[in-house]
Amino acid sequence: MAFGVQKLVHQPHGVVLGRVRAALDAEGFVVLTPHDVADAFDQAFGLEIPPQVTLGVCTPGLAHATLQADPSVGLLVPCSVVVRAADPGRTVVEASRLHLIVALTGDRALEPAVADADARLRAACDRLADLSCP
């Protein structure tokens, strides 16, 4: 089972990160938890890794529906979008496959909210000219 979709963008990390954030915003996603993984590794462990940012994102509809269905689903949201440098001119973008929320919970009542958020996530990917999301 695939946990996410992965795309390679032929642009630097900083440029792609900005484009991803703008595309997510345009599709109604809110970045709830931006996390600079490279900075955290440096601060906590003194380890250097290539630039990598994990964005915890959600739409209001998905957040509300999942937490109303079962507060423990908070373990699965926000959904993650990872933007990491592959090398100086290429960046990998990975996004959670939102159907996993329904698959893991078995709660089919979440399907409409998950389907809506998944469609929005795909549309955000489509806004990035260098990506061809499935």
Side-chain angles (χ1 to χ4, degrees):
M1 174 182 289
F3 297 114
V5 294
Q6 182 185 86
K7 302 298 172 188
L8 180 64
V9 183
H10 295 277
Q11 293 183 1
H13 179 266
V15 171
V16 175
L17 179 59
R19 291 181 63 199
V20 167
R21 288 183 78 124
L24 290 166
D25 183 61
E27 292 300 329
F29 282 90
V30 175
V31 176
L32 299 172
T33 56
H35 181 68
D36 186 329
V37 178
D39 184 57
F41 268 51
D42 183 38
Q43 295 294 318
F45 310 121
L47 299 174
E48 288 187 31
I49 63 170
Q52 178 171 326
V53 173
T54 300
L55 302 172
V57 303
C58 209
T59 62
L62 180 61
H64 187 259
T66 55
L67 294 176
Q68 289 294 108
D70 182 347
S72 293
V73 178
L75 292 167
L76 305 175
V77 294
C79 306
S80 294
V81 176
V82 175
V83 182
R84 61 183 167 84
D87 58 47
R90 296 183 312 156
T91 303
V92 174
V93 178
E94 296 175 297
S96 298
R97 299 207 88 165
L98 304 183
H99 73 277
L100 292 175
I101 294 170
V102 175
L104 290 171
T105 64
D107 189 345
R108 301 191 56 88
L110 294 173
E111 285 179 344
V114 167
D116 176 64
D118 188 60
R120 290 172 184 261
L121 189 56
R122 288 177 191 216
C125 288
D126 289 344
R127 289 179 177 275
L128 304 169
D130 301 304
L131 301 181
S132 57
C133 293

